[in-house]
Amino acid sequence: AHLKTLICSDHYLSPAVNGWHVIGTTYAPNNMDADISGADTRENLNALRAMSANIHQNIDMNAMQGRVAWRSKTRDYMPLAGQLIDEGKLRSKPPRYNAKPADLPWLEGLFVNAGHGSKGMISAPICAELIATLATKNTPNISPELASKLNPSRFLLRELGLKQLANTLYKID
């Protein structure tokens, strides 16, 4: 029996594609080992048994495959989305705390959409839409406060003591 819909709880089980289901996923922060973990495999198989005993019973253990992947995340768990500021120029001539965002040394045409962690299926499209509005010089499609909190240069601005500026990069006057 092949599942025809996605099941999502603490783990997920995908519908069959070419006769193969995908079960996932475990999470091991700071583990950079590229080898498949037996403990993670057992955890996924136990989750599969809980989601679909029928599919679990019919697994060909010799045909089973696995893989290791890493999620890119940030220190504050917010994605990096928006235009980058030129770090070298910013450090060589730091602006005052009350500088206008338009006067910052933005890198023309260079935008980032990364660091989504485990929520990328939700956050990446929203961030892509944000970048599209910024790239076309339109007003962000989300609140200016949230757009500012997503800016990929926010850590640099905070490091330079410009937290207030980092929080108002897209403030509408």
Side-chain angles (χ1 to χ4, degrees), residues 1 12 24 27-28 35 43 55 66 82 87-88 95 101 130 140 154 162 172:
Y12 68 87
Y27 182 63
D35 294 329
E43 182 180 333
I55 292 173
E87 181 176 357
L130 168 64
R154 67 186 180 265
L162 300 168
I172 300 170

Side-chain angles (χ1 to χ4, degrees), residues 87-164:
E87 181 176 357
K89 287 182 180 177
L90 193 70
R91 285 187 186 280
S92 68
K93 190 177 176 193
R96 294 180 50 83
Y97 74 94
N98 61 350
K100 290 185 169 71
D103 296 335
L104 295 173
W106 295 98
L107 289 166
E108 191 62 35
L110 184 56
F111 298 84
V112 173
N113 189 359
H116 296 275
S118 61
K119 297 177 180 53
M121 294 292 286
I122 296 167
S123 60
I126 295 166
C127 291
E129 193 171 327
L130 168 64
I131 290 170
T133 62
L134 295 172
T136 56
K137 309 279 190 233
N138 288 303
T139 303
N141 57 323
I142 58 176
S143 76
E145 295 81 15
L146 179 56
S148 297
K149 288 180 182 181
L150 295 173
N151 184 274
S153 296
R154 67 186 180 265
F155 298 110
L156 171 63
L157 290 168
R158 290 177 192 154
E159 176 191 326
L160 295 173
L162 300 168
K163 181 179 178 184
Q164 180 180 338

